[in-house]
Amino acid sequence: MILLSYFEPETNSWQQTTATQLPSHVTTVLPADARLWINLNDANAAEIQQVLQHFAIAPTLAEDFSRQRHPPKLEAQPEFSLLIMRGYADADFAEYSGSAQVNLLYSKQILISRMHCHNPHLLQQLEPQLSNGTPGAIADWVKQLILAVSASYLEKLINFEDEQSELEDVMLHRGNDEYMSRIMRYRSVLRKINRNLAYQKDIFSDAMYEEQSPLLRHFSTADIRDFYEKFERLHSMTDLYYDQLSDLVEGYLSTTSHQINERMKVLTIVSTIFIPLTFVAGIYGMNFIYMPELQMPNGYFMVLIAMALGGIGGLIWFKIRGWW
């Protein structure tokens, strides 16, 4: 289903219709004050191709726009520019069920959008805001969507800072495998969104230094720099949080390893002390008839004293050497 929102300059109002066939008067040449938003969220493949062919979108742009999953990118043809972005659609970083894909084709007066988002609240934020009496600029709509995408990450990252502080305190005092499992899930999610942010940061980074960048058709250098700084900051935050979680993992493993080493040290000392005593007990436990020591009246006590002195002497030696 194709949803059309057309700003009629004569009535100074928006007309919203549902159409399976594009009206004949909707072309790339519109009155100067007219605006057109074509929402393809609920359109099928045939309807999407109909719209793209109607506006003579280049095959390479049409193919990328039609995909439900595509890395963030920016590309242009003489009339239209293609911008693909990814927002964060989950409530937090406990799970990653998929990004919010934002596919935009836009010119000075026309915006063709297709959103793939399982979060209704975010989907509402990713739609242009229409108001009667003013047509608005397509560039302002695209800017609003770019800021909405960046905000979808920022809110979660700010909230995650408190969660990470709690994890640091817990892992310091009573870390266990359950918290380690949570940390590993967080790291996995952060690694995935870090890739998305890296792509989007590079889009605006390249645009700042390309004289023929498609973004310069609709945005000032200051706007592009602002976009870049937002995504660069988000990318840096995910890097920072990922490194801090990695430090927690390494710290927990080091602490666990140290605890195991201390236990092994105690077991080693005990074994070292009792191995000679077991050797003595084994000798006098043999059933030979001729063992002169067995006939000594005080032999039992003498062996016990010798064994006690041997064990105590071993402990003293460990203490002197600093092994215990």
Side-chain angles (χ1 to χ4, degrees):
M1 180 173 62
I2 304 172
L3 300 179
L4 296 175
S5 297
Y6 179 73
F7 185 81
E8 179 60 60
E10 295 180 0
T11 61
N12 206 28
S13 63
W14 286 95
Q15 300 175 3
Q16 298 183 359
T17 61
T18 301
T20 56
Q21 297 292 328
L22 289 176
S24 58
H25 69 280
V26 177
T27 64
T28 55
V29 180
L30 298 175
D33 294 334
R35 299 290 184 270
L36 176 65
W37 171 34
I38 303 178
N39 185 346
L40 298 179
N41 291 356
D42 300 321
N44 57 38
E47 291 171 335
I48 293 174
Q49 289 304 315
Q50 174 195 347
V51 172
L52 298 180
Q53 291 174 6
H54 184 88
F55 291 101
I57 303 299
T60 54
L61 269 66
E63 180 183 0
D64 292 341
F65 177 84
S66 302
R67 291 182 179 178
Q68 292 189 4
R69 289 181 55 82
H70 194 287
K73 69 173 297 184
L74 173 67
E75 195 173 343
Q77 67 179 50
E79 291 294 333
F80 282 87
S81 298
L82 170 68
L83 179 62
I84 299 177
M85 305 193 73
R86 285 184 177 178
Y88 192 75
D90 291 308
D92 52 36
F93 297 143
E95 61 179 352
Y96 183 81
S97 54
S99 299
Q101 181 91 10
V102 180
N103 295 355
L104 304 176
L105 275 168
Y106 61 95
S107 64
K108 291 184 177 181
Q109 295 178 277
I110 301 172
L111 173 65
I112 306 172
S113 68
R114 191 181 187 208
M115 316 288 183
H116 304 278
C117 180
H118 59 270
N119 185 331
H121 178 67
L122 178 59
L123 182 60
Q124 185 179 7
Q125 294 178 343
L126 292 174
E127 294 181 350
Q129 303 300 315
L130 309 180
S131 58
N132 290 327
T134 173
I138 298 296
D140 292 339
W141 291 358
V142 176
K143 180 178 180 179
Q144 169 203 328
L145 298 180
I146 293 174
L147 296 179
V149 168
S150 67
S152 69
Y153 293 96
L154 182 60
E155 180 183 1
K156 311 299 188 308
L157 287 170
I158 291 176
N159 293 336
F160 182 69
E161 185 174 2
D162 296 333
E163 176 73 15
Q164 181 166 293
S165 298
E166 293 177 4
L167 277 175
E168 290 176 349
D169 295 338
V170 169
M171 294 299 291
L172 179 63
H173 297 98
R174 54 181 187 281
N176 55 40
D177 291 342
E178 180 182 353
Y179 288 109
M180 273 289 291
S181 177
R182 287 176 57 186
I183 290 175
M184 298 306 292
R185 288 201 304 272
Y186 287 145
R187 290 179 68 208
S188 176
V189 174
L190 286 172
R191 186 165 54 245
K192 292 174 182 176
I193 68 174
N194 186 268
R195 290 197 296 266
N196 292 339
L197 291 170
Y199 282 126
Q200 293 172 126
K201 179 190 72 171
D202 290 343
I203 287 175
F204 300 111
S205 175
D206 295 341
M208 286 194 302
Y209 301 104
E210 292 181 4
E211 294 182 358
Q212 303 298 324
S213 172
L215 286 175
L216 290 174
R217 299 179 184 176
H218 306 279
F219 301 103
S220 66
T221 304
D223 285 334
I224 297 175
R225 181 175 296 278
D226 181 59
F227 299 152
Y228 166 74
E229 290 176 351
K230 289 183 183 299
F231 283 99
E232 195 279 332
R233 191 178 305 112
L234 293 171
H235 185 257
S236 299
M237 290 175 70
T238 55
D239 276 337
L240 175 63
Y241 291 158
Y242 183 86
D243 291 342
Q244 289 177 341
L245 290 177
S246 298
D247 291 342
L248 287 179
V249 172
E250 293 176 3
Y252 176 74
L253 294 177
S254 298
T255 301
T256 303
S257 177
H258 177 71
Q259 292 173 348
I260 293 174
N261 290 338
E262 288 297 316
R263 295 188 183 102
M264 292 300 299
K265 181 179 178 180
V266 173
L267 292 175
T268 302
I269 292 174
V270 171
S271 299
T272 304
I273 295 298
F274 279 92
I275 285 175
L277 304 183
T278 304
F279 175 73
V280 174
I283 290 177
Y284 288 103
M286 293 185 293
N287 295 320
F288 289 105
I289 295 176
Y290 183 72
M291 295 184 69
E293 292 86 352
L294 297 179
Q295 306 301 321
M296 297 175 61
N298 297 321
Y300 171 73
F301 301 102
M302 293 172 62
V303 172
L304 284 182
I305 292 173
M307 293 172 68
L309 291 176
I312 295 172
L315 292 175
I316 294 174
W317 174 252
F318 289 139
K319 194 68 174 179
I320 293 174
R321 298 288 296 181
W323 297 342
W324 174 51

